[in-house]
Amino acid sequence: MSNSTFLRRQSILMNPKAPEAEKKVAALLYNDKTDGMASKDLHAVAALTFNQNQAELVYKVLGNALDPNNNTWQTLVKAIILVDHLVRAVVCYQHLQPRYPTEHPNF
């Protein structure tokens, strides 16, 4: 892990005022594991994006992780995998929405 990636991870995870959404995404992206990310963690982050306030925090950390000048290639790959999962989660959510209004118009 590069020094800047380590410092970014520590600054987010060790900050008691950092929101939980930000900590969860940082822990997922900036960890030392090389075996990938668990699907339950990806689903948990995707669930955060359906709340506007938490989504902004998720996208802020994700945007920082996608900067190739300040991150390792492992962090970039994890960030791309997370973006892919978020896009698929939105597509699945939209597919599951009812196509017809739940209330019938009054005639």
Side-chain angles (χ1 to χ4, degrees):
M1 181 183 305
S2 75
N3 195 27
S4 64
T5 303
F6 176 77
L7 293 175
R8 182 175 293 116
R9 176 180 181 234
Q10 290 302 99
S11 69
I12 294 172
L13 294 179
M14 302 306 270
N15 182 1
K17 295 181 180 179
E20 278 302 311
E22 198 170 344
K23 287 181 180 182
K24 187 174 282 194
V25 177
L28 188 65
L29 294 174
Y30 299 120
N31 65 16
D32 295 334
K33 295 181 194 173
T34 58
D35 59 347
M37 299 179 280
S39 62
K40 70 176 186 170
D41 295 331
L42 291 170
H43 293 320
V45 172
L48 293 174
T49 61
F50 290 103
N51 178 313
Q52 182 66 33
N53 295 330
Q54 292 179 339
E56 290 175 8
L57 296 171
V58 169
Y59 296 138
K60 181 179 110 178
V61 175
L62 193 54
N64 291 335
L66 287 168
D67 182 9
N69 296 324
N70 295 326
N71 294 302
T72 62
W73 66 268
Q74 292 96 337
T75 302
L76 292 170
V77 168
K78 290 176 187 178
I80 291 169
I81 291 170
L82 181 57
V83 168
D84 179 63
H85 187 79
L86 294 176
V87 169
R88 291 173 192 262
V90 168
V91 169
C92 288
Y93 179 77
Q94 290 174 345
H95 180 70
L96 294 174
Q97 291 299 308
R99 295 187 180 159
Y100 305 103
T102 55
E103 297 180 15
H104 299 288
N106 295 328
F107 292 103

